[in-house]
Structures are given as structure tokens and as C-alpha cells.
Amino acid sequence: MGEIDKVRGFINYDRVPEPYRDPLERVFDWNEINYEAPQHDDVEQTVQAARCMDCGTPFCQTHTGCPVNNLIPEWNELVYKHQWRDANDRLHKTNNFPEFTGRVCPAPCEGACVAGLVESAVTIKNIEYAIVDRAWEEGWITPRTPKYRTGMTIAIIGSGPAGLAAADELNQLGHNVTVYEREDRIGGLLMYGIPNMKLDKDKVDRRVNLLAEEGIEFVTNANIGVDIDILDIKSNYDSIIICVGATMPRDLPVPGRELKGIHFAMEFLTKNQKRLLMTQEGNLESGWDESFVTAEGKNVIVIGGGDTGTDCIGTSMRHRCKSIVNFELMPQPPTSRAADNPWPQWPRVYGMDYGHAEVMGIFGQDPRTYSVMTTEFKGDADGNVKSLITMEMRKTDTGIERVPGTEREWPVDLVILAMGFVSPEPTLVEKLRLEVDQRSNIHAEYGDYHTSVEGVFAAGDCRRGQSLVVWAINEGRGVAAKCHDYLMRSKGALDDEIFFG
């Protein structure tokens, strides 16, 4: 074999991403859509790393690309040189949980890749999880227990990616960190909001167990503000960080909304994941309460696109639904960048995600129907949804409007509302009397994260609104730095007070 050319790699070699498992195979199980072992051998991984073009300004790691500013060209270079352990070290410099982002992130870094200007982008996401998967397999990721403790205590409310990233950073700085989670398992949306075929829960548990070994205390079934008084938490810790996410779903208030068989996406996904975990652990019979929402044998309509809508499609397919349709309010995107969507912006183009590919494989057609709005739900005599009415929509200079005379009735047995989330739940906001912004998110400036209450910080979706896992990690790391600065200033003032009497 000849030498792999790094200088002209982006010209000489084609982009060859790691394949997903065949849709006709994976739709019959709950295992990850990724193959258990990399399908690329060492040579192909080297070739794909060689496509990184040593560009003058790597937009992939700027604000237009990776939110955590991953050192992408550096670890691509190290993979090319077969220095995988060093690549893992560089990867963890900026990203606490690359095994999560390597699987669930939509890869804005690839949308901003300079090679993508004229050719296809580098397979950055594939290389990321190849690095971290190898690191786990080789035993390079081990507990890093802090040598010294500051004596300062921090309560983090919420154990999603923002809360876990903040906990990891603050623990490494020597603080005593306790993470409170209202569910029965740690991980937030990583555990219950993202289905198993996209992120295996053993990988979440593996990282959480490592964090626990490093000294972080985790408390589950702790619904702060409901079961545990938030004022008690505030009085017992030096600082509080709120990372509860944006869990208030956007509703669809049309006639018939009260009918049975209409569920929010997160209810559907969470109950499914809990049932799956109970089944795996042999606790299904003892823990079963008939609350599971099943799509088996049903005509399913998912209202809303995006990652959550796709996850609902994939879950319904594994339930053996009778049929499935996905409504999108906006028109179908173009197959290439539009004039108002230039590089290095995220490319708003038509694509086929894993759930859509599975529907294509089984039913032979794309499940998505574009430019439609649901106007009414209809039910049977027992109050179950049986159909819904839609109208076509069109874009105008003033916005989106209905097209008269385009009403259509669709048979449906299960409706899943996947239209996004509007804000955090109000309980903690009201109990702590926190200021909120115009969207009812907790008011705290990006980069500062301090709320209107002294010693209380907020980060992640509860502050910025619904966003990506990688942005939650960004904010978790940021809020940790600001909380640390606050605690050190407080400790310095206290030491001065004691010293000078």
C-alpha cells in the first residue's frame, strides 16, 4: 500500500462515513443503529482523517461549528499519525462526554468544515466517536480523583448533559458536588429523552459511574421544589446550579385535543425507555402499570420534525406500527444550500435521518408530509382519537398562511406531538423567585450564568431554551467556571474576615 497523502487528502480521497446498520435489520431490535465495532479498518480511518485539509481558519471549531470548540484539526492529525491516546487527550480537553456527542450530535462542525465548500466535509463525527470508543476499550479513560478539596459545596439540580458537565468540571476543581435528579436514574434526557437505538444507556451509566468514582454524589428520586424544599438546599450549600432543561412541551390547542391517544413526544419516549430498561433487568412484571404508550398495530401520526420527531418515528417502527406519517409545518427543504443559507451556516437541506430510512425500508416511502397544519382531532364514542383534519400551508411575504379548500382527513390511532419545548417548568422559578426572560426561561446572561438570586446559577436549556446536547455541555462547562470564580471570591472574602477579625 502506498503512503496516505495528508497534504492533498481532501482532493484525493472521497468522504466515506461509517455506515449505520441496515434498516431492515435494526428496526427489529433496540440496539444502537451504529455497528458495535467500527466498520472502517485502521487504513480507512487514517484516510478519512487525512481529508482534514489543514485550513488556515478551522471554522469547524469556531462559533459557526462546534459549540464546545473541539480541537478538531488537532485530533484529526493525531489519528492520521496513529496517536490515538493523544487524540483522546485532546478530545477530552474541550468535551466532557464525546461518547454522547459522537452519537447524538447533528454535527454542526461538519456543516462548517472548509472542505465542504467545494467537496464533502470531513467525517468529523465518525472520527470523534472512533477516538473515544477506542479510549474506553483500551482502558485509557480512568477515574481522576482530585488530590485536594476546597471544602465548598455545590448542589446541581438536574443530571442532563449541562448538569453532568458542570459537575465534572467543578469536581475536578476540588469542590464537593451533589447532583439531584427527580427521575430514578441519572442522565436526564440522555437517559430517558434519547432512545436506546441512538444512545445505548450502558454508555450513559458507564460515564456516570466514572463520575461517581471521582467523587461526585448523585441523588435520584429527588424532585427539588416538590419533595425537597429548595430553601433547605439553598441553606445547606454554598452555591446552586439549576440545569433542569426546558421540559414544558409546545401544545396544539385545537378542537378534540382532549381525546385519548394524543401524547407529547417526551411522555411517549420516556415511558418506552423505562419499559425497555425494566424488561432488560427482569423487573417488567413487578413494575408494570399499564401506563406504557404503544404504537403496535396503530396508524401513527407524528406532528413536528427535528430529532425528537425522528426518535418518535424510530420508536414507533420498533413497536410494529401499522402505518406512520410525519407532519412538518414548513415546506420541504432544498437538496442543496439556498442563497440565504451560505456556508459556514448549518445547512438547511433535505436529508434522510435514521427513522425516515427505516420507514422507507419497511413501507417504501418517506413518512414526511410538508406544509400541513393540523386543525382538528376527531374521536369515537369512547373518546379515542380516530382521525384528524389538516390544511395545506404556504409561505408568503408576511409569513405562513392556510390554503383554502385543502382540508384533508387522516385516519389515526396514536398522535405524538413533537413540536418542541417552550420553557422550564415553573416550580423552581417560583419557589426561588427567579427572574425570567420573555420566553419564560430563567434569566441569566450567557457567559455569566448568574441568576437574579445571589449564589444561584442556571445553564443549559432552562436558560437558553431548547437546544443541542453539545450546547448543554458548553453551558455546563461555562457555568462551572463562573460558579468556581464566585466561590473563590466568597472564600477569599470569608478568609479576609476571619484574618482581620
Side-chain angles (χ1 to χ4, degrees):
M1 183 188 71
E3 183 179 351
I4 297 172
D5 181 13
K6 180 72 166 64
V7 177
R8 294 174 55 85
F10 67 100
I11 297 173
N12 294 340
Y13 310 126
D14 292 331
R15 172 187 166 97
V16 182
E18 277 274 356
Y20 289 149
R21 294 163 56 216
D22 189 284
L24 296 180
E25 170 196 335
R26 69 186 191 233
V27 77
F28 293 105
D29 61 51
W30 294 96
N31 299 328
E32 280 193 354
I33 58 178
N34 302 86
Y35 283 94
E36 187 173 346
Q39 297 302 288
H40 288 172
D41 58 19
D42 283 348
V43 173
E44 186 59 47
Q45 287 174 333
T46 304
V47 166
Q48 292 305 307
R51 296 190 68 248
C52 189
M53 60 188 296
D54 193 22
C55 49
T57 302
F59 283 83
C60 59
Q61 65 183 49
T62 68
H63 67 282
T64 58
C66 179
V68 294
N69 307 121
N70 271 337
L71 305 172
I72 295 166
E74 295 185 29
W75 40 258
N76 279 341
E77 178 74 14
L78 291 166
V79 168
Y80 171 73
K81 294 178 177 178
H82 306 290
Q83 297 174 10
W84 288 86
R85 186 163 191 166
D86 291 335
N88 178 64
D89 291 341
R90 300 308 289 165
L91 180 55
H92 277 87
K93 285 281 186 183
T94 57
N95 189 348
N96 303 70
F97 314 122
E99 68 269 38
F100 303 157
T101 54
R103 281 168 172 79
V104 307
C105 186
C109 53
E110 294 187 11
C113 176
V114 175
L117 263 172
V118 291
E119 294 291 340
S120 300
V122 175
T123 56
I124 300 170
K125 181 176 176 178
N126 289 171
I127 296 171
E128 178 181 25
Y129 73 69
I131 294 169
V132 71
D133 281 3
R134 181 173 295 210
W136 280 107
E137 290 169 7
E138 297 287 347
W140 299 334
I141 301 175
T142 57
R144 304 161 300 148
T145 305
K147 294 181 179 180
Y148 306 103
R149 290 291 177 181
T150 65
M152 309 296 280
T153 58
I154 304 159
I156 297 178
I157 304 173
S159 70
L164 291 179
D168 186 23
E169 293 292 304
L170 288 164
N171 180 63
Q172 290 302 314
L173 290 168
H175 301 298
N176 296 306
V177 181
T178 303
V179 179
Y180 290 93
E181 169 58 53
R182 68 179 177 180
E183 289 287 359
D184 60 338
R185 295 171 186 263
I186 296 296
L189 69 85
L190 298 169
M191 178 59 67
Y192 286 133
I194 299 172
N196 205 78
M197 59 274 194
K198 203 160 160 186
L199 177 63
D200 190 282
K201 304 315 161 192
D202 287 344
K203 293 182 173 64
V204 180
D205 286 337
R206 178 179 62 186
R207 179 63 75 166
V208 169
N209 291 338
L210 180 77
L211 296 175
E213 285 186 65
E214 292 174 341
I216 299 172
E217 181 182 0
F218 292 103
V219 182
T220 56
N221 298 305
N223 197 351
I224 308 299
V226 178
D227 302 326
I228 300 174
D229 192 337
I230 183 60
L231 298 181
D232 288 342
I233 297 291
K234 193 172 186 302
S235 63
N236 285 312
Y237 289 87
D238 295 306
S239 184
I240 295 175
I241 300 177
I242 301 174
C243 299
V244 294
T247 52
M248 292 288 288
R250 182 173 284 107
D251 208 343
L252 185 59
V254 299
R257 173 62 181 86
E258 74 285 351
L259 292 169
K260 290 179 284 186
I262 304 173
H263 300 271
F264 288 117
M266 211 43 60
E267 175 195 4
F268 177 63
L269 295 173
T270 297
K271 288 180 176 179
N272 177 80
Q273 188 59 47
K274 287 187 174 183
R275 178 179 182 268
L276 180 61
L277 290 169
M278 290 161 61
T279 303
Q280 291 173 340
E281 295 172 355
N283 298 325
L284 182 58
E285 184 175 356
S286 62
W288 190 238
D289 62 1
E290 299 295 328
S291 64
F292 169 59
V293 180
T294 181
E296 183 178 4
K298 295 180 179 180
N299 296 305
V300 179
I301 293 180
V302 178
I303 301 178
D307 290 341
T308 303
T310 302
D311 292 341
C312 292
I313 292 170
T315 300
S316 298
M317 292 297 292
R318 285 158 178 77
H319 286 182
R320 316 290 194 270
C321 61
K322 182 179 179 181
S323 69
I324 188 157
V325 178
N326 182 204
F327 290 161
E328 298 251 17
L329 179 65
M330 302 301 291
Q332 180 174 322
T335 55
S336 59
R337 289 182 185 270
D340 63 349
N341 179 216
W343 177 92
Q345 291 180 1
W346 171 251
R348 300 189 298 273
V349 297
Y350 177 82
M352 187 75 65
D353 209 335
Y354 79 97
H356 311 135
E358 290 166 0
V359 177
M360 285 284 290
I362 298 296
F363 294 115
Q365 61 184 17
D366 191 326
R368 289 167 288 186
T369 298
Y370 293 93
S371 299
V372 293
M373 172 182 282
T374 303
T375 59
E376 183 182 359
F377 298 110
K378 292 186 175 182
D380 60 19
D382 296 323
N384 300 302
V385 67
K386 282 301 171 186
S387 68
L388 59 78
I389 308 297
T390 63
M391 289 187 71
E392 293 181 13
M393 307 297 291
R394 64 185 170 202
K395 289 184 71 174
T396 67
D397 293 339
T398 57
I400 302 176
E401 62 180 28
R402 300 183 183 188
V403 180
T406 59
E407 292 85 356
R408 177 179 173 182
E409 186 167 2
W410 304 71
V412 65
D413 307 302
L414 174 63
V415 177
I416 303 171
L417 304 179
M419 301 179 297
F421 304 88
V422 295
S423 69
E425 294 169 36
T427 304
L428 286 176
V429 171
E430 294 171 354
K431 293 288 177 68
L432 286 170
R433 299 181 180 179
L434 299 172
E435 290 183 7
V436 296
D437 63 19
Q438 65 272 24
R439 296 182 299 162
S440 298
N441 296 319
I442 298 173
H443 178 67
E445 292 294 331
Y446 177 67
D448 179 49
Y449 304 103
H450 215 138
T451 70
S452 56
V453 175
E454 180 71 15
V456 178
F457 297 81
D461 289 5
C462 69
R463 190 208 66 83
R464 70 177 290 118
Q466 177 187 348
S467 191
L468 304 175
V469 168
V470 69
W471 268 113
I473 295 173
N474 168 291
E475 296 222 347
R477 293 170 65 89
V479 75
K482 290 300 179 180
C483 181
H484 172 71
D485 290 346
Y486 168 81
L487 291 174
M488 291 300 96
R489 287 196 304 269
S490 301
K491 187 175 186 296
L494 180 60
D495 289 344
D496 288 346
E497 183 178 329
I498 294 172
F499 182 78
F500 291 109

